Amino acid sequence: KYFHTTPTKPELNIREENIMKICICDDEKDFIHNFQLLLKQYSKKHKNINQFNSFENENDLLSYFYSQNDIDILFLDIKFQTYSGIEIAKKIRGINPSVILIFLTSFPEYALSGYKVKAFDYLVKPLSYLQLENVLDQAISELKSNEKHFLIIKDSGNIFKIKFPEIIYIETYNRNILFHLTSGSEITGHESLKAYEDKLDERFYRCHTGYIVNMVYVTSIQKDCAILNSNVTVPVSRYKKKKFQMLFTDFLCNSIF
C-alpha cells in the first residue's frame, strides 16, 4: 500500500559557499594522524577544504551524523572490531543518502561489498598522497557537478531551487506533482510529470505512470515495486520493470570504484 503525507515546505540547508567538510572514521590513531597530514598537504595545494572531523569509533560518527549531518565526503574504515564498515555505512545512508562515501581497507577483497551502500571508491592502506589526491579530485568534481543540476519549482508564489541529489522520488498527487526530498520535506509542483522528467538526468527513471525515482536512493527492485531508503515503497509498472532493472544495474556498476 502506498500512502501520502501532507506536503510541507522544505527547510533549506544553507551553507557557506566553497566550504568542504571531510570526515574520517578509523580505529587506528596513527592512520588518522597520517591521513590528516596528507589532507593538510592537499588543502594547502588546492585550498578547497575548510573543515575536517575525525572519529575513532562508529558510535561517535553516527552521533555526529544524527546531530549535524553536514559531511560532504566520508572516509570510512571497512572493518571495525564491533561492526563492519558496511553495516555502519548502511546506517549513514539512512541519515544522509547523498554523502560521498570512500572506504579505507587493508584488504582489497572486502571493498567489493561497497556496491551495497553505493560507495564512491575505496583506498588501500597504507595511503599515499597521490592516492588521496586522485580520489579527492574526483569526489570534489562529483560534488561540484551535483551543485549544477537543479530544478526550479514554483509553488503558491514561492520559488524553490531543488538540487537533483535532494530529490528521492516524485509522484503525481491530487492533480499536482509532489517532490519528496532528503530533508523529509515535500513541495508541490504544477507542471506535468513529463515536463519535469525531461529536465532530469540519467539518475532518474520513470518507473510508473505516476512516479519518478532517483536511483541513488533505490535499495532494491521487487515484484511490483521499488524499495527506497527508509523503506519507502514506490510502485513499478510491469512493462517498465525489465528496463528499470537493466538501468539500475548499469547505474550501480558505474557508481562505484
Side-chain angles (χ1 to χ4, degrees):
K1 184 178 180 180
Y2 314 108
F3 59 91
H4 310 274
T5 56
T6 302
T8 57
K9 302 303 180 190
E11 297 178 8
L12 298 181
N13 183 16
I14 305 297
R15 68 176 187 180
E16 294 181 54
E17 196 154 347
N18 299 322
I19 294 293
M20 190 72 62
K21 295 186 179 181
I22 290 182
C23 176
I24 181 175
C25 186
D26 195 292
D27 55 9
E28 299 178 38
K29 288 184 179 180
D30 289 342
F31 182 82
I32 290 179
H33 175 70
N34 291 333
F35 182 92
Q36 190 166 6
L37 292 177
L38 294 176
L39 191 61
K40 284 182 179 179
Q41 184 180 347
Y42 180 91
S43 184
K44 186 176 180 180
K45 178 180 177 181
H46 297 274
K47 305 185 186 305
N48 55 3
I49 296 171
N50 300 76
Q51 296 189 31
F52 172 70
N53 296 71
S54 64
F55 301 96
E56 295 176 22
N57 65 76
E58 66 280 0
N59 292 327
D60 289 345
L61 174 69
L62 290 170
S63 294
Y64 183 87
F65 266 89
Y66 280 118
S67 62
Q68 301 293 327
N69 194 18
D70 59 358
I71 298 299
D72 296 299
I73 302 172
L74 170 64
F75 290 85
L76 179 64
D77 191 10
I78 207 165
K79 194 169 179 61
F80 288 83
Q81 290 184 352
T82 309
Y83 298 99
S84 74
I86 300 297
E87 292 176 286
I88 300 166
K90 286 179 180 177
K91 294 180 180 180
I92 288 171
R93 280 286 179 243
I95 306 167
N96 185 340
S98 60
V99 64
I100 289 185
L101 176 62
I102 299 168
F103 279 119
L104 303 164
T105 180
S106 300
F107 308 97
E109 60 271 20
Y110 289 158
L112 293 176
S113 301
Y115 80 91
K116 297 177 181 178
V117 289
K118 300 181 178 67
F120 181 78
D121 207 336
Y122 75 97
L123 296 176
V124 178
K125 299 177 181 180
L127 191 61
S128 70
Y129 175 75
L130 185 59
Q131 282 178 288
L132 182 63
E133 183 176 47
N134 286 339
V135 76
L136 276 177
D137 283 349
Q138 294 173 38
I140 291 170
S141 176
E142 178 78 7
L143 284 172
K144 289 180 178 178
S145 176
N146 285 336
E147 291 284 329
K148 295 176 182 177
H149 294 85
F150 59 88
L151 288 177
I152 299 296
I153 310 297
K154 298 178 181 179
D155 179 24
S156 302
N158 298 311
I159 298 177
F160 300 99
K161 176 183 176 181
I162 308 298
K163 298 172 187 174
F164 287 2
E166 295 177 314
I167 303 170
I168 301 176
Y169 70 102
I170 309 167
E171 65 170 319
T172 55
Y173 181 61
N174 284 347
R175 297 185 179 180
N176 291 312
I177 305 301
L178 199 59
F179 289 79
H180 298 264
L181 308 180
T182 54
S183 64
S185 302
E186 300 163 349
I187 64 171
T188 303
H190 302 285
E191 297 184 49
S192 68
L193 191 61
K194 179 65 167 59
Y196 289 123
E197 180 184 10
D198 290 342
K199 297 175 183 178
L200 299 170
D201 63 15
E202 66 278 355
R203 81 190 79 181
F204 293 91
Y205 181 65
R206 189 168 181 174
C207 61
H208 184 277
T209 303
Y211 288 82
I212 297 173
V213 296
N214 185 339
M215 288 189 283
V216 170
Y217 304 119
V218 174
T219 59
S220 67
I221 301 173
Q222 302 187 5
K223 183 179 179 181
D224 59 356
C225 66
I227 308 299
L228 311 184
N229 286 74
S230 303
N231 290 319
V232 173
T233 302
V234 170
V236 176
S237 299
R238 186 188 308 171
Y239 72 95
K240 287 180 173 282
K241 182 179 178 182
K242 186 175 181 179
K243 184 176 180 181
F244 188 19
Q245 289 175 321
M246 179 186 69
L247 291 174
F248 182 56
T249 301
D250 289 344
F251 179 79
L252 288 177
C253 292
N254 291 328
S255 296
I256 60 171
F257 315 143

